[in-house]
């Protein structure tokens, strides 16, 4: 097999995996192999576990969120930077179905995923610290609170809305949460 064949197979597996996740189908590697028209061994050679494939699917969105967070840390208005980052995170989770399960995982299959998630978490903590230092955050709110609230916003909008309603409902829920986080 040539490198070009291997790259083509990798892309077919990734594209098929993305379709599975977008359609909320279980990410079973044997099923992915069948639909990608590649051998099962080929899929397992590239992605030893479904989690490895899922994390590979989420990687571009993680990298985009990191770049966004790094840009917002340079923003002069800490509250706008913080809320902009949370909004971008919500939008990313709505746009990329692979992202939420990667965020929810307690451990990661791929070392690079753990590194990306850790870096993103540190940037989010920095944004939160800036808001706190500016006196704009309700007292007692911790980083873990914000993480759980954002997961809750996405979950609530996913469970209680049609796909067409999700974006607007998620923004509405996010606005309510941000109003509760903002110091008066």
């Amino acid at each position: 097999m040539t490198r070009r064949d291997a790259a083509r197979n990798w892309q077919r597996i990734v594209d098929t995996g993305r379709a599975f996740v977008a359609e909320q189908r279980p990410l079973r590697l044997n099923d992915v192999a069948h639909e990608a028209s590649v051998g099962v061994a080929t899929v397992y050679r590239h992605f030893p576990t479904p989690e490895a494939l899922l994390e590979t699917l989420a990687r571009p969105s993680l990298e985009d969120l990191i770049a966004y967070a790094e840009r917002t840390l340079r923003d002069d208005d800490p509250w706008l930077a913080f809320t902009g980052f949370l909004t971008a995170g919500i939008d990313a989770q709505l746009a990329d179905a692979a992202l939420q399960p990667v965020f929810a995982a307690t451990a990661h299959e791929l070392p690079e995923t753990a590194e990306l998630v850790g870096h993103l978490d540190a940037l989010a903590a920095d944004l939160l610290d800036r808001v706190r230092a500016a006196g704009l955050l309700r007292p007692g709110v911790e980083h873990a609170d914000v993480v759980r609230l954002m997961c809750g916003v996405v979950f609530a909008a996913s469970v209680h809305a049609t796909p067409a309603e999700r974006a607007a409902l998620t923004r509405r829920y996010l606005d309510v949460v941000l109003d509760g986080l903002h110091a008066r």
Side-chain angles (χ1 to χ4, degrees):
M1 177 179 294
T2 67
R3 284 185 181 179
R4 189 177 345 182
D5 291 335
R8 188 173 30 250
N9 285 343
W10 184 90
Q11 191 61 55
R12 288 167 79 178
I13 295 163
V14 167
D15 291 344
T16 302
R18 190 165 302 288
F20 271 57
V21 171
E23 296 164 7
Q24 297 180 334
R25 294 167 56 193
L27 198 57
R28 294 187 187 106
L29 296 182
N30 290 2
D31 295 343
V32 170
H34 176 73
E35 285 202 28
S37 300
V38 299
V40 172
T42 300
V43 173
Y44 280 92
R45 189 170 34 256
H46 289 287
F47 305 101
T49 65
E51 293 79 16
L53 177 54
L54 184 70
E55 291 175 18
T56 299
L57 298 174
R59 183 179 184 141
S61 293
L62 288 169
E63 291 170 342
D64 289 347
L65 280 172
I66 287 169
Y68 186 90
E70 288 171 342
R71 283 192 310 274
T72 60
L73 277 169
R74 295 188 296 270
D75 193 323
D76 290 337
D77 185 327
W79 183 254
L80 284 178
F82 176 68
T83 60
F85 171 70
L86 294 181
T87 301
I90 295 292
D91 290 347
Q93 289 180 68
L94 290 174
D96 185 350
L99 202 51
Q100 190 176 14
V102 169
F103 281 152
T106 56
H108 297 96
E109 182 75 18
L110 303 174
E112 54 269 20
T113 304
E115 184 178 313
L116 288 169
V117 170
H119 186 54
L120 185 61
D121 193 51
L123 291 166
D126 289 346
L127 286 163
L128 185 67
D129 288 344
R130 285 185 66 214
V131 170
R132 183 180 290 113
L136 300 171
L137 187 66
R138 180 184 191 146
V141 175
E142 300 298 327
H143 178 69
D145 299 325
V146 175
V147 170
R148 289 181 181 116
L149 287 168
M150 292 306 99
C151 289
V153 165
V154 173
F155 178 77
S158 298
V159 171
H160 300 293
T162 67
E165 298 169 320
R166 271 190 198 125
L169 193 56
T170 302
R171 289 292 176 101
R172 181 173 166 210
Y173 291 165
L174 179 59
D175 287 345
V176 170
V177 169
L178 290 173
D179 188 54
L181 292 173
H182 197 249
R184 300 289 171 235

